[in-house]
Amino acid sequence: KAFQQICQSNGIISVFVRFHPILSPLFDAYMQYGCLIRHGETVSIDLTLTEEEMWCQIRYNHRSGIKKLRSLVHSVGIDSEWVFFENFLQIYWQTMERCQADDYYFFSAEYFTQLREALGEHLHLCIVQMDEQVACAGLFTEFNGIVQHHLSGTRNDFMKRYPSKLMFDYMRRWAKERGNKFFHLGGGVGGRADSLFQFKAGFSKVRHSFYTWRFITDK
């Protein structure tokens, strides 16, 4: 009620909220006001588990794929100097074109530059190099014990090798070594249980519900 009064006094007539799947609030309160909608599930890796326990939760075909990728000549790591930022942009846009994504997902170079400026040391660029090329790259945030997968892509020429498996495998170990508790991979497009969700689900058995809340403060 206090929130509603504050909104009304500031001329705010409607509110749309995306709840973080891991930092879920007490939903009973939100169900009494407005409209609470569950969109689907997301996936996270419990970093408090041992390396062996985390590895056992990874789906068999992911494990075999990671082992095969590890046997190839490659490099994977955090690009702390953002040397490969332009490569990331090209790969990300190429991925969106390949997936025939909505225009909304074709974020501009300016968006990513502003994201870097806003988040600073909390934003990390991970790259996977194979055959002397950047095969895969992704952006990850790190706040208060939660490492979050934001956006990533794979170069067309490397699609059949699935270098993103190597990236997520590296990031889970990197996140654990830094003392984080969760590695949140996210879910499918729009919360759907699509192929993207199924790919992420192969890394862990931990699931979270993704909710949004809509509230008209002044009808």
Side-chain angles (χ1 to χ4, degrees), residues 84-212:
F84 297 100
F85 178 56
E86 291 295 329
N87 295 84
F88 163 77
L89 289 177
Q90 295 169 7
I91 291 172
Y92 175 74
W93 291 330
Q94 187 180 84
T95 301
M96 292 303 99
E97 290 176 358
R98 185 176 66 242
C99 296
Q100 298 181 322
D102 293 339
D103 291 343
Y104 170 82
Y105 293 102
F106 284 83
F107 300 110
S108 65
E110 182 182 14
Y111 163 81
F112 290 108
T113 300
Q114 291 178 347
L115 194 67
R116 287 179 60 189
E117 293 173 352
L119 299 183
E121 63 181 9
H122 296 286
L123 183 66
H124 304 280
L125 173 61
C126 181
I127 64 160
V128 178
Q129 290 181 284
M130 304 177 74
D131 299 341
E132 300 183 351
Q133 296 185 72
V134 177
C136 175
L139 290 179
F140 301 83
T141 59
E142 182 185 28
F143 279 97
N144 297 327
I146 299 175
V147 172
Q148 170 88 33
H149 169 242
H150 182 43
L151 298 168
S152 61
T154 299
R155 195 181 296 277
N156 287 344
D157 295 343
F158 294 89
M159 278 297 297
K160 293 183 179 180
R161 300 194 200 179
Y162 287 99
S164 54
K165 291 182 180 180
L166 204 58
M167 180 177 67
F168 283 123
D169 178 62
Y170 172 85
M171 286 303 299
R172 71 176 177 83
R173 289 181 284 110
W174 176 88
K176 181 177 176 62
E177 289 173 3
R178 291 168 66 88
N180 293 286
K181 295 182 179 180
F182 295 96
F183 176 23
H184 190 229
L185 278 63
V189 178
R192 296 193 296 272
D194 55 11
S195 59
L196 178 60
F197 174 82
Q198 295 302 328
F199 175 77
K200 294 175 180 178
F203 287 91
S204 173
K205 296 179 181 179
V206 183
R207 303 288 182 268
H208 308 273
S209 292
F210 172 47
Y211 287 91
T212 60

Side-chain angles (χ1 to χ4, degrees), residues 37-56:
I37 298 177
R38 183 181 184 276
H39 295 271
E41 291 186 321
T42 65
V43 180
S44 78
I45 297 175
D46 181 358
L47 300 177
T48 64
L49 298 176
T50 65
E51 166 60 28
E52 183 179 357
E53 288 172 331
M54 284 194 292
W55 181 252
C56 288

